[in-house]
Amino acid sequence: METELFTAGLTLMFALVFNWGFRTLPGEKWQILASLPKHRDEKGQWQGENLTWYGMFNAHAYTFAVMTYMVLLGSLNTPLSLILLSVCGLLAICIPASKIIARMVEKKKYTFTVGGASFAGILAAPLVVWAVNAFAADQNFHMQTVSFLAALCISYAFGEGIGRLACISFGCCYGKKLSECHPALQKIFGRCCFVFTGSTKKIAYASAMEGEKVVPVQAVTAVLYTLSGIAGVYLFLKGFHTAAFLQALLITQIWRCISEFFRADYRGEGRISAYQIMGILSAAYGILLCLFSVDLQFQHADVLHGLAYLWDPGMILFLQALWSGVFLCTGRSKVTGSVLSFHVVRSNV
């Protein structure tokens, strides 16, 4: 019963958040969260550094993904120290990869790619499992490869699903003009398309598509990925780890390949983008890992035991530090600026 209540709670939460986000975030005021004065110019005005909703939603996405990962592995009675070790190993690989791969593919300095980060994480997964099991050799514990992969892919699905809200707020990863799409797509998305406003949204300064009806590809991705994550959680907690892993892997990576055809933002040179190739390779690589894994025995899962890990004081501090680090890394805008001035409200003195 706990499993059903947990997955129902997740479904309700995402339904409420997405209902608000899809209607609100394309608006102009939902790009800049705050602006901090940095230095004063010769006119007496302050040059500001913008903090973005993009960074805040990315921080939420990373933190929720890590929380999901901890709950799932914690439900299998995995020692907390080993969970933290694997999380730190994955983050040390994925966070730099998100920027390095984006720079290699898109030739831009100030951009990130979740697709590249996930590709690096999947490739490194066996190495992380090996390192954790080597560390746990004296703890009489062995982390199963498929269980680890399932928890990783489910968490990634949630993380990228939430992360699409960041893209909507910044106006990036946007879809093609609806008027240029097939009539069938125009009919499907005619009433639920996105219209972005604000000259500092990426869709405006990169493609001059402010005010245009576009395919809501970020919303489709968000819904599809979170539904995959919810299904994965249910299967994982019921003991079907291989099924949980494969459905999360295939849905996210296949849709990554398909969704590129509906996007209008720059994705690198060539008709088939590097990110689509990464998606195909990730899916094939994950299937091979599953086929060659030998530790597929059933493991009983207790979601309440996993949720209890989140109340550990050290874990709370770790999650707060993670949120802050991701926000500072992705939330300080390098492509927008601001000018601030301050004055005294004499009537209130």
Side-chain angles (χ1 to χ4, degrees), residues 16-293:
L16 293 174
V17 171
F18 288 163
N19 180 60
W20 168 81
F22 297 162
R23 290 185 293 104
T24 306
L25 295 178
E28 182 176 9
K29 72 176 184 178
W30 290 97
Q31 182 179 5
I32 307 300
L33 172 63
S35 188
L36 303 177
K38 294 179 64 178
H39 56 83
R40 199 171 185 176
D41 61 23
E42 63 278 1
K43 297 180 181 179
Q45 295 178 313
W46 289 85
Q47 298 298 312
E49 179 175 44
N50 294 330
L51 304 179
T52 61
W53 289 99
Y54 177 92
M56 191 201 74
F57 284 117
N58 264 330
H60 286 346
Y62 269 94
T63 305
F64 189 85
V66 170
M67 290 170 62
T68 301
Y69 177 82
M70 291 177 172
V71 169
L72 292 178
L73 289 185
S75 70
L76 302 179
N77 210 27
T78 307
L80 186 57
S81 60
L82 300 183
I83 296 177
L84 284 174
L85 177 64
S86 61
V87 166
C88 292
L90 286 168
L91 292 177
I93 295 168
C94 294
I95 291 179
S98 69
K99 190 167 186 177
I100 294 170
I101 294 176
R103 185 179 296 187
M104 292 172 60
V105 174
E106 302 178 42
K107 313 301 181 185
K108 295 179 181 178
K109 187 176 181 180
Y110 301 114
T111 188
F112 301 90
T113 169
V114 178
S118 68
F119 178 67
I122 292 174
L123 287 182
L127 179 62
V128 174
V129 173
W130 174 84
V132 169
N133 285 331
F135 184 83
D138 59 345
Q139 299 185 35
N140 195 30
F141 180 84
H142 177 80
M143 180 179 286
Q144 295 194 41
T145 302
V146 172
S147 299
F148 170 82
L149 290 171
L152 176 63
C153 271
I154 293 166
S155 302
Y156 159 71
F158 281 134
E160 182 154 4
I162 298 171
R164 293 305 96 183
L165 296 177
C167 298
I168 298 172
S169 71
F170 203 81
C172 61
C173 306
Y174 45 89
K176 293 180 178 180
K177 288 183 182 180
L178 204 58
S179 59
E180 298 176 353
C181 294
H182 190 277
L185 285 178
Q186 294 182 30
K187 186 175 182 180
I188 293 172
F189 295 117
R191 295 186 177 181
C192 56
C193 58
F194 279 159
V195 178
F196 291 91
T197 57
S199 60
T200 56
K201 298 267 193 181
K202 186 176 181 180
I203 191 173
Y205 66 75
S207 298
M209 289 165 56
E210 180 186 2
E212 298 280 355
K213 292 183 177 181
V214 297
V215 176
V217 65
Q218 306 102 317
V220 177
T221 301
V223 172
L224 188 62
Y225 279 35
T226 51
L227 286 176
S228 174
I230 292 168
V233 165
Y234 183 81
L235 290 169
F236 187 98
L237 294 176
K238 290 297 185 180
F240 303 107
H241 296 177
T242 303
F245 166 59
L246 288 177
Q247 69 83 27
L249 175 74
L250 295 178
I251 288 175
T252 57
Q253 300 310 308
I254 290 174
W255 173 247
R256 173 166 297 284
C257 298
I258 296 173
S259 66
E260 296 278 322
F261 295 113
F262 301 105
R263 290 175 61 167
D265 57 323
Y266 180 71
R267 308 297 293 159
E269 300 297 333
R271 185 175 181 182
I272 302 297
S273 75
Y275 298 118
Q276 288 173 300
I277 296 173
M278 290 179 199
I280 295 169
L281 292 177
S282 296
Y285 181 68
I287 292 171
L288 287 175
L289 288 178
C290 226
L291 291 174
F292 287 100
S293 179

